[in-house]
Amino acid sequence: MRVESEEIIQSSQWHQLSTNEITRHLETNLETGLSESEVAKRQSHFGANELKAKPGTSPIVKFLQQFNQPLLYILLIAGAIKAIIGQWVNAWVIWGVTLINAIIGFIQESKAESAIAALASSVRTNATILRNGKKIQVPSTELVPGDIVLLASGDKVPADLRLVQTRNLQINESALTGESIAVEKNYQPVNPDIPLAERTNMAYAGSFVTFGTGSGIVVAIGEATETGRLSQLIEQGTSLKTPLTRKFDKFSRTLLYIILGIAALTFAVGLGYGNSWAEMFEAAVAFAVSAIPEGLPAVVTVTLAIGVSRMARRHAIVRKLPAVETLGGATVICSDKTGTLTENQMTVQGIYAGGQYYTVTGVGYAPSGEILLNEKQVDLNTSPVLVECLVAGLLCNDARLEQKDEQWQVIGDPTEGALVAAANKVGFNKSSLERETKRLDVIPFESEFQYMATLHQEKKLSPNTQNSTLSTQHSELSTQNSALSTQHSELSTIYIKGSVEAILKSCRQMLDAEGEIVPIQANTIHSSVNAMAQQGLRVLAFAKKNVPTTKNSLDHGDIQNDLIFLGLQGMIDPPRSEAIKSVQACQEAGIQVKMITGDHAVTAQAIAKRMGFNKNGEVMAFTGQQLAQMDNQQLKTAVEDGVVFARVAPEQKLRIVEALQSKGEIVAMTGDGVNDAPALKQADIGIAMGGAGTEVAKEASDMILTDDNFASIQAAVEEGRTVYRNLLKAIAFILPVNGGESMTILISVLFARVLPILSLQVLWLNMVNSIAMTVPLAFEPSSKRVMRQPPRNPRQPLLSGSLIKRIAVISVFNWILIFGIFEWTRQTTANIDLGRTMAIQALVAGRVFYLLSISKLGVIIIDTIRGVKHNISDASAIIIGIVATIVLQIIFSQWSLMNNLFSTAPLNLNQWLICIVAGLPMILVAALANRFDPLD
């Protein structure tokens, strides 16, 4: 093959070349195809027609990568130090926490890099080809550039083809381009810079033939196809960390530096006071253990896991744990239109006939719905022109509807399916009507003529026979309609549907509202067409022509004149009703919602207006061609101001997401097609549709909606925000005890005092007690305010100024409580173990009161005192946590085994009461902290 041909293969510019140029470059023959010997050479040169996943990271390395977190470094070091000093029980407990965290992360993310394999399986199929002058079937993997592929309705396109022959060929490319309507194909060259979605002489791998036949030359296979390029885009997409990961890493690094610095200072100061190296090493370790929130990683993981479970109950499956929080912080949702915001079912919504406009209710292909005139149900007996228009749409039609698994599906072209569904809504039955009106001939739709025509010979109908085509609701036809049918039974009828321009130029007459033939009112019809187009409707015109019964064939000359205009039918892929509410709810929550689609701008903008999309009251739309001409700065402005982005290529979807992220936005991207996969992977959180979504989209996503319902995103956002709020509560609850403990140990060392709390006791508080009391916070229900607040500032640190003030206030109180109770008990009883035990129990009592102040249970208690009733089940987790804590603390101090293990002493009733009373002031301190940071 020539060098210049190799260059063309790489440039993907086949759509601009003529058939002769292509056959010359690819050295192939349209009549015989390639020879077997030539195929063998090209297979050796180009390889197989498949997408090969690159070797992934080994499971062992993936598992070890789970430990690559700063806070886990601290835990691993702490465990190592404990092992070095011989405290193996403590070491194994700490290491166990890190191991559990790593296992959960490994399981959740084990399939994160499998999108390439899913792409490969999505394009494998068999192909009918010409080789050595014979038509044969081969696996698509054996195709090579230059092969001649034959296409027929229902086929899956096996490689990228440059079409060389078409007959009414229509291909559904929605998974690649986002266009919901099948594209009519031809073989004429097109401009070099035309968008992918408008390259009508190309057939792309993975798309489906919905109508007609054709043939094409293979011009790209494997990773050189458009689908293959998407595969490479997925691999090239930057793997961004989520906001939670970024903030947690920064917090952990900061905490690591502080702990190591203060531990070193403690060690140095102690040596300066003349203490031994061994004593100061133990003191430094005790400080490090007290300052490290050992339970925090486990609590964070559990909180996120509970969020995953909650979202699953609301039809959102999370594949990566941090994605739970990320969606709650989303500032922009970029949504695909077809099948995500819309039903992905073409639906007739308006009919113009006899000078009157009819509204059609119902959505999709189901026969439920009505046809209304002035908001009243039509009577077919008084609407003969409507009947004629519906019958034309039903008979000049090759599609049919079938019900599978309680869902109505179209077999054939979606546009024709919409016409069948519209007629079904008033009782027409396509099969019955076709039995009564024999089709004699057909002129299939061709782009050159822009219409389809069918010739029918009607049987002479009695009124009862005609009525059988209608439901019982419309079973009585007027004498006028029966007479009209009897009159028409003497003639054959040609029914025509097509573009308004093609039909009107052959019409001189039309039917009025009474079914009488009158001169055509072209201006009125064009006004109606414009009005329907403004609603985003795709408008088809219908006409008929009566011919003698002796005529049994059709040609284009029969359609050129004397047509009687019957009406217009306008259809659209309608928005989901629940999605409209979801968009509104997201906007009220301060989240921008943007539509990114491969569909036409007028249609997309009309859908956006229907759904309430807006930015500052406007619905600004940009096309892919406009975006392609923008530099990066112009693009950033466009993505900020724009609401609708239409006719965009996959690379542009990716570029839009990146532009939004460069402005500091947290981007959630929804989609279901192959064309969405790169942007799904690049987005902070990718959301795929579980039912209609392709495997590619699912594997590239962070979250999957099991009900394919955009409305579930609202629920997921609410849960995500609740998870983040509960995480902040957990941090606000855990860190103050570490603060109090570390202050206690540090001050004791600085003033050469006996330690009020030992390192093993610190571990009990940080691991057992903290987890028992903090995990219930993960079950806290959503606040009423959670969806009334704007999204969090993505740049806001995990520890905000107000949260630091809260932690500082509670930490100081905890230090006073520990130090005060220990010193008072030691001086009054001279029992150091008893002093330490009472200090710990007083601290835990204060923690219980603090937990009430930040949880739903505290609100329930206060409201109950005021006479306001609540559902106690909302606080069941907190109640269980408090009860478990009390039981554990009783065991901690009253069981002799625990006394020996933790150097504690049993308490009598008076001592227990002293500890509880000492913790009561926490109520006032917590109220003061709530003024700094309400945590709601």
Side-chain angles (χ1 to χ4, degrees):
M1 195 176 293
R2 299 183 181 92
V3 174
E4 61 179 302
S5 300
E6 295 281 356
E7 294 175 351
I8 294 175
I9 289 175
Q10 296 299 322
S11 67
S12 300
Q13 294 295 308
W14 298 102
H15 55 280
Q16 67 176 322
L17 303 180
S18 68
T19 301
N20 290 336
E21 289 176 305
I22 294 169
T23 55
R24 179 171 56 84
H25 282 299
L26 294 176
E27 299 177 7
T28 189
N29 188 300
L30 297 180
E31 301 298 327
T32 62
L34 299 173
S35 65
E36 291 296 339
S37 59
E38 183 63 24
V39 168
K41 291 179 183 177
R42 298 189 185 193
Q43 284 177 340
S44 175
H45 179 76
F46 291 103
N49 178 31
E50 59 185 0
L51 301 178
K52 297 179 181 179
K54 293 184 178 180
T57 307
S58 70
I60 294 176
V61 174
K62 284 184 179 180
F63 178 73
L64 293 176
Q65 288 174 344
Q66 303 300 319
F67 295 93
N68 188 23
Q69 300 179 33
L71 196 56
L72 292 187
Y73 298 159
I74 301 174
L75 290 178
L76 292 171
I77 293 171
I81 293 174
K82 286 293 184 181
I84 290 171
I85 63 178
Q87 296 182 7
W88 286 99
V89 174
N90 297 357
W92 283 113
V93 169
I94 295 173
W95 288 339
V97 170
T98 62
L99 182 63
I100 292 172
N101 185 79
I103 290 173
I104 293 174
F106 177 75
I107 292 173
Q108 286 291 328
E109 300 184 11
S110 61
K111 295 182 179 180
E113 302 303 322
S114 58
I116 308 302
L119 272 168
S121 64
S122 76
V123 297
R124 286 175 185 160
T125 185
N126 289 325
T128 302
I129 64 172
L130 283 177
R131 277 188 187 166
N132 290 326
K134 297 179 181 179
K135 184 169 71 172
I136 61 173
Q137 274 203 342
V138 297
S140 65
T141 54
E142 297 181 9
L143 294 180
V144 295
D147 264 327
I148 308 299
V149 177
L150 307 180
L151 299 175
S153 181
D155 285 350
K156 190 175 186 179
V157 180
D160 282 4
L161 310 178
R162 169 60 165 86
L163 298 171
V164 295
Q165 183 273 327
T166 61
R167 180 173 174 78
N168 309 317
L169 182 64
Q170 296 180 22
I171 296 180
N172 188 326
E173 299 174 339
S174 61
L176 184 65
T177 66
E179 172 63 71
S180 58
I181 299 173
V183 179
E184 185 183 354
K185 296 293 186 177
N186 59 57
Y187 53 85
Q188 300 300 327
V190 295
N191 293 331
D193 58 350
I194 198 164
L196 183 145
E198 296 177 12
R199 295 175 187 173
T200 54
N201 59 6
M202 297 292 296
Y204 294 108
S207 55
F208 291 89
V209 179
T210 61
F211 190 81
T213 60
S215 62
I217 304 175
V218 174
V219 296
I221 63 172
E223 294 184 355
T225 64
E226 289 295 329
T227 302
R229 291 177 62 243
L230 283 172
S231 166
Q232 295 163 19
L233 283 171
I234 292 176
E235 292 181 339
Q236 293 166 5
T238 307
S239 178
L240 297 181
K241 288 189 174 183
T242 66
L244 178 64
T245 306
R246 290 192 290 261
K247 293 175 182 178
F248 201 76
D249 285 351
K250 184 176 180 180
F251 162 71
S252 299
R253 285 194 296 270
T254 303
L255 188 62
L256 173 63
Y257 300 148
I258 292 174
I259 290 173
L260 293 178
I262 297 179
L265 178 64
T266 301
F267 183 79
V269 170
L271 289 179
Y273 281 147
N275 294 318
S276 68
W277 285 77
E279 290 175 336
M280 287 303 93
F281 183 73
E282 172 62 24
V285 169
F287 171 80
V289 171
S290 68
I292 295 172
E294 289 94 343
L296 188 57
V299 169
V300 169
T301 301
V302 170
T303 302
L304 290 171
I306 291 171
V308 169
S309 177
R310 281 182 169 182
M311 286 186 173
R313 290 196 294 270
R314 302 183 76 171
H315 309 292
I317 304 298
V318 173
R319 299 179 64 247
K320 301 177 184 178
L321 275 178
V324 179
E325 176 273 340
T326 310
L327 186 61
T331 58
V332 179
I333 297 177
C334 296
S335 177
D336 184 46
K337 179 184 72 69
T338 305
T340 305
L341 292 167
T342 65
E343 297 284 352
N344 202 18
Q345 295 185 342
M346 293 299 290
T347 305
V348 174
Q349 294 194 336
I351 300 175
Y352 172 83
Q356 296 177 314
Y357 187 80
Y358 300 85
T359 302
V360 185
T361 65
V363 174
Y365 303 126
S368 57
E370 299 175 331
I371 298 180
L372 307 176
L373 178 63
N374 298 325
E375 300 184 356
K376 295 181 180 179
Q377 186 174 342
V378 298
D379 180 359
L380 293 188
N381 290 313
T382 59
S383 306
V385 66
L386 175 62
V387 171
E388 291 274 14
C389 188
L390 292 172
V391 168
L394 204 57
L395 292 178
C396 189
N397 194 317
D398 288 324
R400 69 180 190 276
L401 301 180
E402 291 183 358
Q403 191 173 21
K404 294 181 181 179
D405 301 326
E406 299 183 356
Q407 295 289 327
W408 285 89
Q409 300 176 354
V410 61
I411 309 300
D413 184 78
T415 298
E416 293 191 327
L419 299 175
V420 176
N424 287 350
K425 291 175 183 179
V426 289
F428 282 100
N429 182 282
K430 190 173 190 287
S431 298
S432 298
L433 197 59
E434 287 176 336
R435 285 195 299 269
E436 296 162 2
T437 55
K438 180 181 177 181
R439 180 190 284 191
L440 301 177
D441 198 9
V442 59
I443 298 177
F445 182 88
E446 295 180 34
S447 58
E448 180 182 354
F449 298 100
Q450 292 291 311
Y451 60 75
M452 172 184 178
T454 54
L455 173 63
H456 300 267
Q457 185 179 64
E458 300 182 17
K459 299 177 182 179
K460 187 169 182 178
L461 305 179
S462 67
N464 290 333
T465 303
Q466 183 176 8
N467 292 347
S468 67
T469 65
L470 302 179
S471 66
T472 55
Q473 178 183 4
H474 302 293
S475 61
E476 296 182 0
L477 295 179
S478 67
T479 304
Q480 178 184 359
N481 290 344
S482 297
L484 183 62
S485 297
T486 302
Q487 178 184 355
H488 287 177
S489 67
E490 304 296 335
L491 300 170
S492 292
T493 304
I494 301 173
Y495 287 110
I496 310 98
K497 78 169 188 290
S499 68
V500 176
E501 294 77 9
I503 300 300
L504 283 185
K505 72 180 182 181
S506 299
C507 295
R508 295 294 180 268
Q509 297 174 315
M510 62 179 284
L511 293 185
D512 65 10
E514 286 73 35
E516 298 294 336
I517 296 176
V518 297
I520 194 165
Q521 301 172 0
N523 291 337
T524 304
I525 294 171
H526 281 298
S527 296
S528 297
V529 170
N530 292 335
M532 296 169 80
Q534 287 298 315
Q535 301 175 50
L537 300 181
R538 183 189 183 198
V539 183
L540 290 180
F542 299 85
K544 74 172 186 176
K545 181 178 182 180
N546 296 322
V547 296
T549 54
T550 55
K551 187 173 181 60
N552 54 20
S553 64
L554 280 178
D555 58 50
H556 290 292
D558 297 321
I559 316 300
Q560 299 307 309
N561 50 55
D562 298 329
L563 301 187
I564 301 173
F565 179 79
L566 301 178
L568 309 169
Q569 293 195 46
M571 63 197 69
I572 197 171
D573 181 12
R576 298 174 183 264
S577 58
E578 61 272 20
I580 296 174
K581 298 177 182 177
S582 298
V583 169
Q584 181 180 1
C586 289
Q587 290 176 339
E588 289 176 352
I591 302 170
Q592 299 179 60
V593 185
K594 299 181 185 295
M595 180 189 296
I596 303 179
T597 178
D599 212 340
H600 293 280
V602 174
T603 302
Q605 196 169 24
I607 289 287
K609 289 179 179 178
R610 285 194 187 192
M611 300 190 70
F613 279 73
N614 75 84
K615 178 68 181 293
N616 300 324
E618 296 185 13
V619 183
M620 190 175 295
F622 293 94
T623 65
Q625 286 185 327
Q626 290 174 316
L627 297 179
Q629 297 170 1
M630 296 180 183
D631 58 28
N632 288 337
Q633 189 57 47
Q634 290 172 326
L635 181 66
K636 289 179 182 180
T637 302
V639 299
E640 184 68 21
D641 298 335
V643 174
V644 174
F645 300 89
R647 305 300 279 176
V648 296
E651 298 92 334
Q652 291 173 324
K653 290 189 177 187
L654 187 61
R655 195 177 170 212
I656 289 170
V657 172
E658 290 173 334
L660 287 167
Q661 289 173 331
S662 71
K663 295 182 71 67
E665 305 286 1
I666 297 179
V667 182
M669 168 75 184
T670 73
D672 57 3
V674 175
N675 64 318
D676 297 320
L680 285 173
K681 196 170 182 70
Q682 174 66 24
D684 291 286
I685 177 166
I687 308 169
M689 303 295 118
T694 60
E695 276 306 305
V696 178
K698 294 176 188 176
E699 294 298 335
S701 68
D702 302 287
M703 189 173 78
I704 300 171
L705 299 183
T706 58
D707 59 353
D708 287 10
N709 194 336
F710 188 88
S712 298
I713 295 177
Q714 177 193 350
V717 169
E718 182 179 338
E719 291 295 345
R721 290 187 173 193
T722 300
V723 164
Y724 191 78
R725 186 200 61 170
N726 290 345
L727 279 174
L728 291 183
K729 285 185 177 182
I731 292 172
F733 185 76
I734 286 179
L735 292 188
V737 73
N738 295 98
E741 294 164 351
S742 55
M743 287 173 63
T744 298
I745 294 173
L746 181 61
I747 293 174
S748 297
V749 170
L750 292 176
F751 290 96
R753 309 285 295 183
V754 177
L755 292 179
I757 188 169
L758 300 176
S759 59
L760 199 58
Q761 295 168 344
V762 167
L763 194 63
W764 169 272
L765 285 170
N766 290 1
M767 294 296 296
V768 180
N769 180 260
S770 285
I771 291 176
M773 299 181 73
T774 308
V775 167
L777 287 172
F779 293 90
E780 284 281 275
S782 298
S783 162
K784 293 181 179 179
R785 296 178 52 197
V786 74
M787 288 300 287
R788 299 175 186 170
Q789 300 170 340
R792 300 183 310 277
N793 185 344
R795 300 174 182 83
Q796 180 180 335
L798 190 64
L799 292 182
S800 62
S802 58
L803 185 58
I804 291 174
K805 290 179 182 178
R806 166 186 281 276
I807 292 171
V809 169
I810 304 299
S811 295
V812 169
F813 177 78
N814 286 339
W815 164 67
I816 294 172
L817 191 60
I818 295 171
F819 218 95
I821 292 296
F822 171 76
E823 287 295 328
W824 178 81
T825 304
R826 190 171 72 88
Q827 292 179 12
T828 55
T829 65
N831 187 334
I832 294 179
D833 286 348
L834 179 63
R836 287 169 174 159
T837 304
M838 290 188 66
I840 291 170
Q841 300 294 25
L843 175 64
V844 172
R847 296 191 81 189
V848 170
F849 293 124
Y850 181 44
L851 181 63
L852 292 176
S853 74
I854 63 175
S855 68
K856 182 73 172 179
L857 182 58
V859 175
I860 291 175
I861 292 173
I862 293 174
D863 284 350
T864 301
I865 295 173
R866 295 173 177 173
V868 179
K869 294 184 178 181
H870 278 279
N871 186 357
I872 195 66
S873 63
D874 289 344
S876 57
I878 298 294
I879 294 173
I880 293 172
I882 291 175
V883 171
T885 297
I886 293 172
V887 172
L888 288 171
Q889 290 307 120
I890 291 174
I891 293 173
F892 177 75
S893 64
Q894 305 304 116
W895 190 14
S896 58
L897 177 63
M898 302 295 280
N899 295 151
N900 294 330
L901 183 61
F902 288 95
S903 301
T904 58
L907 307 184
N908 59 38
L909 180 61
N910 288 335
Q911 291 166 340
W912 275 107
L913 291 175
I914 290 172
C915 293
I916 294 172
V917 171
L920 280 174
M922 175 63 83
I923 298 175
L924 297 176
V925 176
L928 176 63
N930 284 336
R931 297 186 63 182
F932 295 129
D933 184 36
L935 284 178
D936 193 2

